[in-house]
Structure formats: C-alpha cells, structure tokens
Amino acid sequence: QVQLVESGGGSVQTGGSLRLSCAASGSIFSIYAMGWYRQAPGKQRELVATITSTGYTNYADSVKGRFTISRDNAKNTVNLQMNSLKPEDTAVYYCNAGLFQGRTPGSYWGQGTQVTVSS
C-alpha cells in the first residue's frame, strides 16, 4: 500500500504565495520521480512541475519563474513553492509519485488540494 498525502492548499489574492507539500508513505522501495499536476474546472489535468531523484526538474511554461519544486529523498516528500500567483492558477493540485514497490513500478496520486487565487 502506498499513500500520498498533500497539504498546504488554500485561498490567496493575486500576487500571493502558497507552499504545497506531499508525503509518500507505505511499501516503497524507491521513488524515481515526484511531481505536481493540476486540474481546473472543465479542463484536463495538466503537468505543473516534476523532479527526479537526481534533482532534474521540469516545469510547465505557465509557471516557470514563479513556482519552484523541491524534494527530500530521505523523507519521500515533495514541495511546491508557488509565488506571484494568478487567478489562472486556481485549480485542484495533485501530487504524483513514480515509484517501485520491490521491482514493480507504479504511478500513484494524492487526493488533491484546492488552490484558489482571487483577483
């Protein structure tokens, strides 16, 4: 069993900041990548940022320069620092982890946390 638990969502005004955190727990052998995705009402889920176990990061163009992803491999956690937030960042944010349970790879999702940015 693997669980991803997110925290840190909330409501802010335009230009504000929020920090999301996600902790993975359970029967985990290793995590090769973690990331954040978001889904706004009526839209498909989209990538926000990902980070590998070696620290390679990838960002959506819409958040580059404003969001920063980081992870603690020892604690199986990933964070997303979101600055200069815009109303278009409003969405449910989901944590994702690509990991091995023994030799079996899998992709796991958190339950989601709401981020609302008001103008």
Side-chain angles (χ1 to χ4, degrees):
Q1 301 290 343
V2 174
Q3 285 188 323
L4 300 181
V5 178
E6 300 133 336
S7 60
S11 298
V12 295
Q13 293 187 328
T14 298
S17 299
L18 284 172
R19 182 178 176 86
L20 306 182
S21 296
C22 173
S25 62
S27 180
I28 299 171
F29 178 70
S30 66
I31 301 177
Y32 50 85
M34 300 187 79
W36 291 93
Y37 294 72
R38 67 187 181 187
Q39 187 167 17
K43 295 187 177 181
Q44 290 188 334
R45 190 172 297 187
E46 64 178 4
L47 179 148
V48 176
T50 59
I51 185 168
T52 68
S53 58
T54 57
Y56 177 81
T57 58
N58 182 45
Y59 294 92
D61 288 343
S62 60
V63 306
K64 284 180 180 177
R66 300 188 297 122
F67 292 9
T68 302
I69 191 169
S70 61
R71 65 183 282 182
D72 184 328
N73 290 333
K75 297 180 179 179
N76 288 339
T77 58
V78 63
N79 302 303
L80 185 69
Q81 178 66 43
M82 305 185 295
N83 298 327
S84 302
L85 283 161
K86 304 175 181 179
E88 51 263 44
D89 295 318
T90 295
V92 178
Y93 284 68
Y94 296 91
C95 175
N96 175 265
L99 56 87
F100 284 94
Q101 286 187 289
R103 295 183 177 182
T104 304
S107 179
Y108 296 84
W109 294 91
Q111 79 284 358
T113 185
Q114 178 70 46
V115 171
T116 302
V117 185
S118 59
S119 57

